[in-house]
Amino acid sequence: MDDLARIRCDLVQAAASGDPAAEMRGVLRDRPALETVFDESMAVGHVLGFYQLQLGEHDGRSVRLHLWEPERVEDTDEADDIHSHIWGFHSHLLAGYISSTTYEVELGDSGPGDLYAVSYSNNRSHRTRTGTCASWWQRATRHMERDEHYGIDGTDFHTSRIGAAGAVTLIVADGSAERTPYVIRERERPSTEEYPFQYLSGDELKKVFQQVLTMLTR
């Protein structure tokens, strides 16, 4: 097994361990040149403001690292748009702080928000207005610090708020049921229909991995 495959295997096995945060930090501490082991097609700048790094699969589940850099957390009082996901997942917080709020959503012909379907093509994400209105109510909020984890079903609508110091999460996604993800936006908020979902360059990728390493080994 070459170095790239072995390191990826170590990371994925760490993700599947009983204490993934400690295991991941151990793997990263042992790999000071980690930023060199993934090619550029494995990392993208996500439209929700984080970097998404593909690690591999374990038991048919996609394993990823998400990084919110401190300098990219513009307003810690503002959460993501209310959104659902293509599949359910478990998120293990390896560094930083995240507050996740789930919502009850009612769809129909009236309501203060609009429902958008999300799709991806040509390195861009696209939000398409469905013509359906939405109302929503907070269901539960969970505040997570380092080494804690939470789960989100693919059909759940939720928002995330990131602490000012940024965050690193390990995402283990359930790929058994892919769904169309949706976003709800309040009608008075401006809505851009298209966002970049661009692959990172080699220099950008090195910078991201160095930031991950720094945050996980503090």
Side-chain angles (χ1 to χ4, degrees):
M1 184 182 295
D2 61 30
D3 288 343
L4 170 58
R6 182 169 56 253
I7 294 171
R8 288 178 61 191
C9 181
D10 288 346
L11 291 169
V12 172
Q13 290 300 317
S17 74
D19 189 359
E23 291 289 338
M24 288 292 292
R25 281 193 290 274
V27 171
L28 293 173
R29 276 195 297 267
D30 292 340
R31 309 288 183 178
L34 184 66
E35 68 271 12
T36 67
V37 305
F38 293 112
D39 63 51
E40 297 165 18
S41 66
M42 299 177 66
V44 295
H46 197 279
V47 297
L48 291 180
F50 56 83
Y51 294 113
Q52 175 177 289
L53 312 175
Q54 302 280 357
L55 299 183
E57 291 191 355
H58 177 76
D59 289 342
R61 296 180 176 185
S62 174
V63 180
R64 309 168 182 182
L65 276 178
H66 289 180
L67 165 69
W68 287 264
E69 289 186 305
E71 58 267 30
R72 289 170 62 89
V73 181
E74 298 178 357
D75 184 354
T76 57
D77 291 327
E78 182 174 341
D80 294 336
D81 289 333
I82 299 173
H83 60 278
S84 63
H85 295 268
I86 191 170
W87 47 42
F89 63 88
H90 272 82
S91 177
H92 300 265
L93 185 56
L94 305 183
Y97 166 91
I98 291 179
S99 176
S100 175
T101 300
T102 55
Y103 295 83
E104 295 286 349
V105 172
E106 182 177 291
L107 304 177
D109 296 328
S110 62
D114 293 312
L115 183 72
Y116 294 80
V118 179
S119 60
Y120 299 94
S121 63
N122 299 322
N123 294 348
R124 303 189 73 82
S125 70
H126 308 270
R127 281 200 307 223
T128 303
R129 194 187 300 265
T130 65
T132 299
C133 300
S135 301
W136 58 92
W137 301 268
Q138 287 191 16
R139 187 168 67 191
T141 297
R142 183 168 180 187
H143 307 286
M144 273 77 58
E145 297 182 352
R146 180 170 171 156
D147 294 348
E148 295 186 298
H149 67 92
Y150 66 100
I152 293 290
D153 187 88
T155 59
D156 283 343
F157 282 88
H158 87 130
T159 58
S160 295
R161 183 168 64 83
I162 310 303
V168 177
T169 61
L170 174 71
I171 304 294
V172 181
D174 179 5
S176 60
E178 295 190 7
R179 307 172 180 89
T180 299
Y182 292 97
V183 169
I184 296 172
R185 286 185 66 83
E186 295 180 63
R187 199 159 292 118
E188 62 267 24
R189 294 181 66 185
S191 179
T192 303
E193 301 294 328
E194 189 174 70
Y195 290 87
F197 187 81
Q198 297 178 346
Y199 290 106
L200 303 182
S201 68
D203 288 342
E204 290 171 328
L205 184 57
K206 290 181 180 180
K207 179 176 180 291
V208 168
F209 272 112
Q210 188 56 53
Q211 183 70 68
V212 168
L213 186 63
T214 298
M215 293 179 69
L216 293 192
T217 56
R218 285 174 179 165

